[in-house]
Amino acid sequence: MTAHAISVQGVSKIYPGGVHALDGVSIDVRPGEWVAIMGPSGSGKTTLLSILNGLDKPTSGRIQVLGTDTHGFGPDDWAVFRRENIGLVFQQFHLIPYLTAVENVMLAQYYHSMPVREQALAALERVQLAGRGHHLPSQLSGGEQQRVCIARALINDPKIVLADEPTGNLDEENEARVLELFRALHGEGKTLVVVTHDPEIGCAGERIISLSHGKVSKDSATAAGARLATVGGPPGSSGDPCATSAHA
Amino acid sequence: MLAHMIRHSLVRSAGVTAWSLATLTASAALATIFVAMSIDVGQKMTSSLRSLGANAVAHAGQRRDGVGAPVTADSAAWERAHGLAEAKRADLVEFHLRVGTLQGAPVAIVTADAAGLARMTPYWGVNGRRAAGQDECVMGRKLAQVLGTSIGATVEVRLDGAAHHERYRVTGIFESGDEDEGRMFVSRKPRPEEARFTYALVSVPGGEPDIAAFNTSLAAAGAGIELTPLRQVLHGERAIIGKINLLTGVALLAVLLLSSVGVTAAVLSRVIERRKELALLQALGAKRHSVVALLLSEGAAIGVAGALLGYAAGTVLSQVIVRQAFGVSVTPHLAPFLAAVVVSVVIAVLAASIGARRALRMETAMLLKGE
């Protein structure tokens, strides 16, 4: 039996007022797999991601991450688990405005172990921001801020990277750069779960899970995923959802 | 990293920081003034109240000689009492009471140093002026009425069964509201052979314990003189000081309460302003207590700064106030500093803890949602 990086079983999320954001969602993500979660606004994508990273709690259902059953995890358990295993990339970057780029990266180190400036600078270099470490977020472009955010997500060498609309606020050039970074991470064997509206980002992964009204409406391998599947096993059940995409 | 974040965070929210700091500084300054006053001004006010007259009466004690005869305090005993009074910064004025006749009626004649009499009876309402020379006297209102004497008149007092007489010009007629209104006061000293009763009015700095201590010293010196506190005066003073302390205490509490509300509002606005940042810290792996520690540390930093500024301002202000009111300086004490630190830091940390509680209740996922 394959050990899943992420296993979601029958997860539902009902917000106060009775809004069903997720309704019995079950998905498995293999270690090293690149999964895109797509769907229209309000389909539950971001809620699912928030539940996967422990910032939100499911109303029902169970979640295993890296073999750990997170049922019963409190906020502090999740904080520790997140800093050890999960890197987060946000659409709005969420950089601390009064800290420089390198300090923003070091912040993740601070809560993980110990801030080391050299390592943080190396992480920035990796996202092609060498020499921009001393700049404040306000002095960086959106694409640069997103790359700082990615460097921060990677500084503690997480096994899983969860990204919420990582290219939502970026132009094409920066989108391509972020995509390149994700490819590199995938190549390193990181498990990637990317919530996106962007078919190009979605189709860059191995598998696309489509959500609609809080349910999984489609779970299919992309062309890239199908190629890998011939080597490593079937990731999804349906045909290539990117076949008709302009970006496919 | 934490110190760096705290510094930058405080600088970034300069408006909120300045408001919090100003409020805490004011609170710490008030606490400093209040405690400094409570410690120091109680004594200084009591000393100041001494300018309103005596708080004790000294008289010959119930000492008896070897055969049981009462011993009257002699001039040497009063000299010792004067020495002790000087050592205790007390004011002791002797009064010699003789009985003579004036226009055929018996009259009590009190001899006292003119300046000393003025110090001990500042509450007298004198019509005319107080006696200054050896041939002058002031007369109580009742006595003047009985004798039909007016200011400027000369009176002749007969003493020792009319064997001796003294002449005085009446310079003033006074009202005191007590038995002194039936007496006349002069400054000419009685002849040594003259029968008289000697007592003294004493103004002892401090309250009843200080009078008791003075009394003990008198007994130890064997002066044969006892001190009786004027309880009515002491009780009045205690009541006044107690009420002043109560009023200032209530005012201080009200100010502290208002400043707590003000600082809490400022901290809450800072928390709301930084809600995404605080959510991010948790997303990056900060435990709840780390977020609380960050906010409390920020609060404590402002609290300490407010305490230092408030103590400095409070010390200067209390010096000015005390100098204006009592003409003396406030003695430095540790307690006002501690009060400033406790008040400022407690308010700041309390406000920060309310802010932290609010921060922990916020929906982290919602705040970081990418929309």
Side-chain angles (χ1 to χ4, degrees):
Chain A
M1 185 178 166
T2 310
H4 298 296
I6 297 168
S7 176
V8 177
Q9 298 302 321
V11 163
S12 295
K13 175 70 183 181
I14 305 169
Y15 285 113
V19 178
H20 284 66
L22 294 174
D23 188 2
V25 170
S26 295
I27 54 172
D28 293 321
V29 179
R30 289 179 293 114
E33 191 176 14
W34 180 350
V35 174
I37 298 176
M38 299 185 73
S41 292
S43 59
K45 308 184 297 292
T46 299
T47 301
L48 178 59
L49 201 73
S50 297
I51 286 173
L52 292 181
N53 64 32
L55 294 176
D56 207 348
K57 272 179 165 291
T59 308
S60 61
R62 293 187 95 85
I63 297 152
Q64 281 199 349
V65 183
L66 298 171
T68 303
D69 187 351
T70 62
H71 186 72
F73 264 26
D76 284 350
D77 302 315
W78 263 114
V80 173
F81 190 79
R82 222 170 14 244
R83 70 194 183 200
E84 296 294 337
N85 301 297
I86 299 173
L88 297 176
V89 179
F90 304 99
Q91 179 183 3
Q92 291 180 328
F93 327 131
H94 293 307
L95 301 178
I96 306 274
Y98 51 83
L99 297 182
T100 61
V102 70
E103 286 167 348
N104 266 287
V105 177
M106 288 164 70
L107 189 60
Q109 284 183 306
Y110 174 75
Y111 286 114
H112 177 265
S113 48
M114 182 189 291
V116 181
R117 182 172 284 271
E118 290 69 29
Q119 289 176 0
L121 286 169
L124 286 175
E125 197 172 340
R126 185 181 173 189
V127 296
Q128 299 167 2
L129 285 175
R132 305 284 284 177
H134 62 285
H135 286 88
L136 290 170
S138 58
Q139 297 167 318
L140 300 173
S141 69
E144 288 170 327
Q145 289 187 51
Q146 186 57 292
R147 280 183 277 153
V148 174
C149 178
I150 293 171
R152 184 179 62 190
L154 300 179
I155 188 67
N156 296 323
D157 194 24
K159 297 177 186 69
I160 298 171
V161 175
L162 303 178
D164 186 7
E165 301 279 8
T167 58
N169 284 339
L170 303 184
D171 57 23
E172 275 188 32
E173 185 188 342
N174 280 301
E175 183 180 308
R177 281 185 169 175
V178 169
L179 202 51
E180 247 346 277
L181 283 168
F182 282 0
R183 285 197 179 103
L185 294 175
H186 183 232
E188 290 168 14
K190 306 264 185 226
T191 303
L192 290 172
V193 177
V194 182
V195 165
T196 183
H197 276 105
D198 187 341
E200 188 172 354
I201 299 291
C203 292
E206 298 169 63
R207 182 177 158 204
I208 295 177
I209 296 170
S210 297
L211 293 183
S212 178
H213 300 295
K215 293 182 178 179
V216 176
S217 59
K218 197 171 180 185
D219 184 350
S220 51
T222 61
R227 276 197 299 279
L228 286 169
T230 57
V231 183
S237 57
S238 308
D240 181 4
C242 304
T244 56
S245 166
H247 304 286
Chain B
M1 178 62 85
L2 188 67
H4 187 62
M5 285 180 73
I6 290 169
R7 193 172 65 245
H8 279 286
S9 159
L10 294 179
V11 170
R12 188 163 181 266
S13 311
V16 176
T17 303
W19 164 255
S20 305
L21 192 58
T23 312
L24 290 170
T25 299
S27 304
L30 281 170
T32 302
I33 292 169
F34 179 74
V35 174
M37 297 276 215
S38 298
I39 292 174
D40 227 30
V41 173
Q43 287 178 337
K44 288 187 168 55
M45 193 180 284
T46 310
S47 302
S48 188
L49 285 167
R50 295 283 50 77
S51 67
L52 301 179
N55 59 357
V57 180
H59 49 81
Q62 298 302 308
R63 205 154 58 95
R64 290 176 183 278
D65 62 13
V67 293
V71 174
T72 305
D74 53 17
S75 58
W78 284 107
E79 279 306 311
R80 281 199 291 279
H82 275 289
L84 282 171
E86 198 174 331
K88 291 186 175 293
R89 291 187 299 163
D91 192 5
L92 186 149
V93 178
E94 278 181 52
F95 290 79
H96 305 287
L97 180 66
R98 297 174 288 164
V99 178
T101 55
L102 191 57
Q103 298 174 13
V107 60
I109 305 155
V110 182
T111 305
D113 166 63
L117 176 66
R119 288 199 303 275
M120 291 298 157
T121 58
Y123 54 91
W124 279 5
V126 181
N127 190 11
R129 65 169 173 82
R130 287 176 180 264
Q134 296 283 307
D135 298 326
E136 294 178 340
C137 76
V138 284
M139 198 172 273
R141 181 181 57 85
K142 285 180 187 168
L143 181 61
Q145 272 177 355
V146 169
L147 299 175
T149 308
S150 57
I151 296 168
T154 299
V155 293
E156 189 175 276
V157 183
R158 298 197 169 276
L159 298 152
D160 298 336
H164 179 75
H165 68 269
E166 292 173 359
R167 291 166 71 89
Y168 295 101
R169 192 166 68 84
V170 180
T171 60
I173 294 172
F174 67 87
E175 288 184 30
S176 66
D178 59 18
E179 68 275 10
D180 283 344
E181 286 189 12
R183 295 170 180 169
M184 61 182 284
F185 285 76
V186 301
S187 60
R188 186 190 299 173
K189 287 195 173 169
R191 289 167 292 115
E193 67 275 15
E194 226 174 329
R196 62 185 188 269
F197 171 72
T198 300
Y199 67 98
L201 288 179
V202 192
S203 182
V204 183
E208 217 162 337
D210 303 277
I211 293 172
F214 192 4
N215 214 6
T216 307
S217 300
L218 283 170
I225 289 170
E226 281 179 7
L227 213 53
T228 304
L230 294 172
R231 295 191 190 283
Q232 204 173 347
V233 173
L234 291 168
H235 177 76
E237 287 176 2
R238 257 202 320 272
I240 290 168
I241 292 171
K243 280 177 184 169
I244 289 171
N245 279 339
L246 179 69
L247 282 174
T248 48
V250 168
L252 178 71
L253 276 178
V255 169
L256 293 184
L257 192 67
L258 285 174
S259 94
S260 300
V261 171
V263 174
T264 303
V267 168
L268 284 177
S269 81
R270 189 204 296 277
V271 165
I272 289 166
E273 189 181 283
R274 297 167 61 203
R275 59 195 183 278
K276 286 193 176 181
E277 177 189 328
L278 298 172
L280 174 74
L281 298 184
Q282 294 181 73
L284 292 179
K287 286 186 173 181
R288 291 157 68 87
H289 70 72
S290 299
V291 176
V292 172
L294 175 69
L295 292 172
L296 292 188
S297 303
E298 285 182 10
I302 302 178
V304 169
L308 295 177
L309 290 172
Y311 176 68
T315 303
V316 170
L317 282 172
S318 53
Q319 287 287 2
V320 170
I321 293 167
V322 170
R323 199 174 288 278
Q324 288 285 328
F326 305 105
V328 291
S329 300
V330 171
T331 317
H333 288 285
L334 182 63
F337 177 70
L338 293 178
V341 171
V342 167
V343 162
S344 181
V345 173
V346 163
I347 290 176
V349 170
L350 195 70
S353 66
I354 293 170
R357 197 179 147 91
R358 173 70 183 264
L360 293 180
R361 281 210 311 263
M362 292 190 294
E363 294 284 347
T364 313
M366 293 296 287
L367 291 169
L368 298 177
K369 210 170 172 182
E371 285 177 358

